[in-house]
Amino acid sequence: MSSRDEFSLAESEDAGDQTLSVASPSSPHLFLKLFREGGGKMTADVEMEVQAPSSSVPSATVPSTLQHLKEIASLIETGAQGKEVRRIVRAMRLTMMLRRKLRASVLSAFLGHVLPSGSEAFAKLSSFLPKDDEHDMDVDTAASAVQGPAKHCIPELEIFCYLIVLIYLIDQKRYNEAKACSSASIARLRNINRRTVDVIASRLYFYYSFSYELTNSLAEIRGTLLALHRMATLRRDELGQETLLNLLLRNYLHYNLYDQAEKLRSKAPRFEAHSNQQFCRYLFYLGKIRTIQLEYTDAKESLLQAARKAPVSARGFQIQCNKWAVIVRLLLGEIPERTVFMHKGMKKALTPYFELTNAVRIGDLELFKIVADKFSGTFSSDRTHNLIVRLRHNVIRTGLRNISISYSRISLADIARKLRLDSPNPVADAESIVAKAIRDGAIDATIDHANGWVVSKETGDVYSTNEPQIAFNSRIAFCLNMHNEAVRALRFPPNSNKEKESEETRRERQQQEQELAKHIAEEDDDDF
């Protein structure tokens, strides 16, 4: 899976990030509401503002983004003081919504507002932000003139400043500076042991690995990631353990170190997933490992579950899951449904695998070779070329099964001709292939060696076997598993067992729950 297929999903937040904000909402909830009502497009009021003279645009745009960052910082500070992690999670969602609006001038003004001017973090982060533009300097001066006296910076805000500067550097394609910033942030993070930092730290780990992957130097940080995973385990930082385990698995798989990845996965502590996004990634990496280890049944289950659990907006991730799932199902002797290849936005990317599936379904070895050669570049970039080579035997077996169904008796020479075997002795090869298929139970037939024939037996009634029972059992198990996961995902009101609340408090709580329900889907989109 390429770096942009999965990690760029973190950049694919709502199209509303392009919106110009004129008003400065007094709370993050109001900001979310105004943003959503815009529908990802500029409203009429904003369009009228754009037509105004250019001198009024900076004063209407930059302070608005800066104000939102200050509100996010206030939310983080409140969550840290009250040890409410949910507030920090909400702050991370709001930050990702502002990602495309981040500018050097805005970040400089925000750092001056949050960090003490003489602190080491302020000096380091300011060195990554350019100040050559005179307009940016004017904005910084105006912003610093209205800000209040400097406050003591809590660790959560300091790590948050590292995070937004790192995201800005990655978006500006300044990858070498992003590596330096991420390394400095990890060095600072090692000295902080607070559970309210864990949510921000998990994001920081993510972009730390991403910055090194963009510069093709993932191997340099493998030891650091292992040390961070050990530190997170000792500190009982379960979200950090999830994130770092996935980053380590991705690091190993990037260099095709599947044995090391499986050893780490099998020995790493497992617990109930805290992040749906990290759990999806874990299932995807597990499916890849199982596929390489020839454990196709477990691989199919992991890959399909990862594709089902992934957010709808994570299109690239779902495409990668479906590519591997299609190949695994073909290796199992199954033929995926046509609808798998016709999902919106996936048809073009899955076209090579659709043609491959068609060749395997027909059992045409010549067509299979043509498709494999035609899309060899795509299969190599997807790192599925070695799996395609394994499919050759399945193509032959499928063709042999079709021949067995169509003919009650057929000669080995005709089988070799229909399968298009191009070996020096095709009849002998056809005989060995048929014998192996009979032994494995792929076909129900016998070989007449004296006459060189293959005699197929009559197909029995499938309902007289245990296959229907096995199929029903698998469906029931799937439904029960989905029910159990839904029960575990239920959220209960925090004040259900306390004293009866007043009418005003109840209305306020219901309003907050409705706002949270509107944006709960975004929680799945942020990390992708």
Side-chain angles (χ1 to χ4, degrees):
M1 183 176 184
S2 61
S3 62
R4 281 296 173 186
D5 277 333
E6 179 186 355
F7 279 108
S8 64
L9 299 174
E11 304 174 7
S12 61
E13 278 78 31
D14 301 292
D17 291 346
Q18 306 286 347
T19 311
L20 285 174
S21 297
V22 178
S24 179
S26 58
S27 68
H29 292 297
L30 183 55
F31 161 50
L32 274 173
K33 183 177 179 181
L34 291 175
F35 183 85
R36 284 301 171 194
E37 289 177 353
K41 300 179 180 178
M42 289 192 295
T43 60
D45 295 338
V46 178
E47 292 174 355
M48 294 176 63
E49 288 290 337
V50 173
Q51 296 175 359
S54 59
S55 59
S56 63
V57 175
S59 61
T61 305
V62 178
S64 175
T65 305
L66 179 60
Q67 180 64 27
H68 295 327
L69 285 175
K70 290 180 180 180
E71 292 171 355
I72 292 173
S74 176
L75 192 62
I76 293 176
E77 187 174 4
T78 303
Q81 292 175 353
K83 297 183 179 180
E84 296 180 276
V85 179
R86 62 181 180 85
R87 293 183 181 272
I88 301 178
V89 173
R90 187 181 306 169
M92 291 297 99
R93 292 205 302 270
L94 295 174
T95 303
M96 293 305 164
M97 294 173 61
L98 286 175
R99 178 172 183 171
R100 299 186 188 278
K101 298 182 181 180
L102 296 179
R103 301 291 182 269
S105 58
V106 176
L107 292 177
S108 298
F110 178 70
L111 294 180
H113 171 74
V114 174
L115 300 176
S117 58
S119 64
E120 181 182 0
F122 180 81
K124 285 184 178 180
L125 294 176
S126 298
S127 64
F128 296 114
L129 301 176
K131 291 189 177 182
D132 298 332
D133 194 346
E134 295 181 358
H135 168 68
D136 290 348
M137 295 179 65
D138 294 340
V139 173
D140 293 343
T141 304
S144 60
V146 299
Q147 68 181 11
K151 297 181 180 180
H152 175 68
C153 180
I154 60 176
E156 288 80 3
L157 283 179
E158 182 180 349
I159 299 301
F160 176 72
C161 291
Y162 275 107
L163 176 63
I164 59 175
V165 172
L166 176 57
I167 292 175
Y168 169 77
L169 293 175
I170 292 176
D171 289 344
Q172 297 297 315
K173 303 185 185 304
R174 296 159 57 183
Y175 299 138
N176 290 328
E177 295 180 13
K179 285 174 58 177
C181 179
S182 62
S183 299
S185 63
I186 293 299
R188 177 67 181 96
L189 191 59
R190 287 174 180 268
N191 301 322
I192 301 176
N193 185 12
R194 295 168 63 130
R195 299 286 67 80
T196 49
V197 183
D198 293 345
V199 176
I200 309 176
S202 65
R203 299 291 181 91
L204 203 56
Y205 298 146
F206 179 88
Y207 289 106
Y208 171 60
S209 177
F210 188 27
S211 62
Y212 275 83
E213 182 172 356
L214 290 173
T215 54
N216 296 321
S217 52
L218 269 178
E220 298 178 9
I221 62 171
R222 190 177 302 153
T224 304
L225 292 177
L226 287 169
L228 290 172
H229 185 268
R230 182 168 59 251
M231 181 183 70
T233 304
L234 294 175
R235 293 178 177 179
R236 299 185 183 277
D237 174 13
E238 295 185 350
L239 182 58
Q241 291 180 61
E242 283 183 342
T243 305
L244 289 166
L245 177 60
N246 286 333
L247 293 177
L248 283 166
L249 292 177
R250 182 178 182 83
N251 197 308
Y252 284 122
L253 298 184
H254 182 77
Y255 295 100
N256 296 324
L257 302 175
Y258 288 92
D259 291 338
Q260 289 89 327
E262 173 58 20
K263 289 179 181 179
L264 172 67
R265 187 209 64 79
S266 61
K267 295 182 180 180
R270 293 301 302 162
F271 38 80
E272 185 177 353
H274 290 262
S275 170
N276 180 66
Q277 301 80 26
Q278 298 302 330
F279 186 50
C280 288
R281 290 194 178 99
Y282 174 78
L283 290 173
F284 175 69
Y285 298 142
L286 178 61
K288 294 179 71 173
I289 294 172
R290 290 285 185 260
T291 303
I292 298 300
Q293 294 179 338
L294 307 181
E295 300 177 10
Y296 298 135
T297 303
D298 294 339
K300 171 191 168 185
E301 182 179 353
S302 298
L303 292 169
L304 292 179
Q305 190 176 3
R308 284 194 300 265
K309 285 180 173 291
V312 178
S313 61
R315 190 66 53 78
F317 182 80
Q318 290 182 335
I319 288 174
Q320 288 296 323
C321 289
N322 283 323
K323 286 179 178 179
W324 281 75
V326 165
I327 294 180
V328 169
R329 294 182 66 179
L330 291 176
L331 289 170
L332 283 171
E334 303 176 6
I335 303 298
E337 299 81 4
R338 182 181 291 267
T339 55
V340 173
F341 306 95
M342 300 302 172
H343 290 303
K344 183 179 180 181
M346 298 186 189
K347 185 176 180 180
K348 182 178 179 181
L350 295 178
T351 297
Y353 296 87
F354 174 73
E355 295 191 17
L356 186 72
T357 301
N358 189 44
V360 175
R361 180 181 63 84
I362 298 173
D364 191 338
L365 193 59
E366 187 69 23
L367 179 60
F368 173 78
K369 293 178 180 178
I370 293 174
V371 174
D373 293 338
K374 179 180 177 182
F375 298 104
S376 59
T378 303
F379 297 144
S380 298
S381 62
D382 292 339
R383 297 192 174 189
T384 56
H385 186 267
N386 292 336
L387 301 177
I388 303 301
V389 175
R390 297 183 190 177
L391 278 175
R392 182 179 182 275
H393 179 69
N394 291 65
V395 176
I396 296 175
R397 177 172 291 189
T398 303
L400 185 60
R401 187 183 299 114
N402 293 336
I403 293 173
S404 175
I405 294 173
S406 303
Y407 297 92
S408 60
R409 186 180 67 180
I410 186 172
S411 65
L412 293 172
D414 289 339
I415 292 177
R417 180 174 54 81
K418 288 182 176 294
L419 294 178
R420 299 183 184 181
L421 299 179
D422 54 358
S423 58
N425 191 358
V427 176
D429 289 345
E431 185 176 1
S432 62
I433 291 172
V434 172
K436 189 175 186 303
I438 294 174
R439 185 195 66 183
D440 295 340
I443 61 175
D444 190 6
T446 58
I447 301 177
D448 187 348
H449 297 281
N451 298 318
W453 291 336
V454 175
V455 180
S456 301
K457 297 180 181 179
E458 294 183 3
T459 56
D461 184 10
V462 69
Y463 290 99
S464 63
T465 65
N466 292 330
E467 290 189 14
Q469 180 182 356
I470 296 173
F472 279 120
N473 182 67
S474 63
R475 295 177 185 178
I476 293 172
F478 171 77
C479 293
L480 290 175
N481 185 39
M482 180 177 292
H483 173 267
N484 294 335
E485 291 182 0
V487 171
R488 284 196 294 266
L490 288 176
R491 300 190 178 191
F492 299 95
N495 297 324
S496 57
N497 297 327
K498 295 184 180 180
E499 63 276 1
K500 187 175 181 181
E501 56 188 353
S502 62
E503 185 68 20
E504 182 179 356
T505 306
R506 185 179 63 82
R507 284 198 301 268
E508 182 179 355
R509 178 179 58 80
Q510 290 179 348
Q511 182 178 1
Q512 292 178 355
E513 290 177 354
Q514 290 175 359
E515 290 183 0
L516 182 61
K518 291 180 181 179
H519 310 296
I520 197 66
E522 295 177 10
E523 187 175 351
D524 291 342
D525 299 345
D526 291 342
D527 281 347
F528 282 89

